[in-house]
Amino acid sequence: MLVVDKITDLTPVKILNVKGLIPENINLADDSFYVPGPIDCLLGAEIFYELLRSGQIRSENSNLIFQNTVFGFVASGSNSFADTEARVHCGLIKGGLNQTLKMFWELENVEVERTKNEEAIFCEDHFLKTHSRDEEDRYVVKMPLKNEPNCLGESRDIALKRLNALWTRLIRDPQYL
């Protein structure tokens, strides 16, 4: 988690006229979404879809969409009814650009530690040792087996008999073939 003093300027920039655009009898996640205010929390894409619920309402005569979420309905869409006043933002970069970008990506990068069990380590090792690419540039990996291949038994003869029986059935029905 990253905690910062400020995510962005007040959103929206000025009070929006949404009179008659908000459907009645819906529970809004933010009753005053149309009044300028600070962003309380910025949620990542990794949980976005977990927050959605079924139900979406399009507001007539506007581009507003009200989407149902675990928090209540949230408003989104373009606000063509708002003033499109241009705003200029200026950022000061101290030090070199490379260092600043490096710091940005270090802050934005979210490392997820995955514990690997013995089987996962075996599978990754097997892949690294046996993978290759064929003529069509597809990956080819040998079948990983916990035991020797003879543990599969004598299944080849049975598989060939079943394949031949399938061919016989297909030849009898040309459309199915």
Side-chain angles (χ1 to χ4, degrees), residues 60-80:
E60 292 182 26
N61 303 322
S62 81
N63 295 324
L64 273 181
I65 297 172
F66 294 91
Q67 173 66 53
N68 195 10
T69 71
V70 296
F71 305 114
F73 280 85
V74 294
S76 66
S78 63
N79 52 359
S80 57

Side-chain angles (χ1 to χ4, degrees), residues 127 130-142:
F127 174 81
T130 66
H131 82 281
S132 62
R133 290 200 180 239
D134 65 7
E135 309 80 44
E136 296 173 11
D137 210 29
R138 293 181 297 188
Y139 277 105
V140 177
V141 181
K142 289 185 180 176

Side-chain angles (χ1 to χ4, degrees), residues 33-44:
F33 72 91
Y34 53 90
V35 177
I39 302 293
D40 297 316
C41 180
L42 183 63
L43 301 171

Side-chain angles (χ1 to χ4, degrees), residues 78-164:
S78 63
N79 52 359
S80 57
F81 43 83
D83 187 2
T84 56
E85 150 189 331
R87 295 183 59 115
V88 176
H89 297 275
C90 180
L92 175 64
I93 297 176
K94 292 182 180 178
L97 179 61
N98 287 341
Q99 181 64 24
T100 304
L101 285 173
K102 181 180 179 216
M103 285 174 47
F104 170 78
W105 286 115
E106 285 172 357
L107 286 174
E108 289 296 311
N109 188 24
V110 178
E111 291 290 330
V112 178
E113 284 189 37
R114 294 187 180 154
T115 56
K116 294 182 183 174
N117 60 20
E118 205 173 295
E119 196 169 79
I121 293 170
F122 169 78
C123 288
E124 285 185 14
D125 187 48
H126 175 77
F127 174 81
L128 291 173
K129 288 179 181 176
T130 66
H131 82 281
S132 62
R133 290 200 180 239
D134 65 7
E135 309 80 44
E136 296 173 11
D137 210 29
R138 293 181 297 188
Y139 277 105
V140 177
V141 181
K142 289 185 180 176
M143 178 74 77
L145 298 172
K146 288 183 178 180
N147 302 320
E148 292 299 316
N150 61 8
C151 71
L152 297 175
E154 299 299 324
S155 59
R156 178 178 164 82
D157 291 336
I158 296 169
L160 286 173
K161 284 180 186 176
R162 288 186 180 167
L163 177 63
N164 289 332

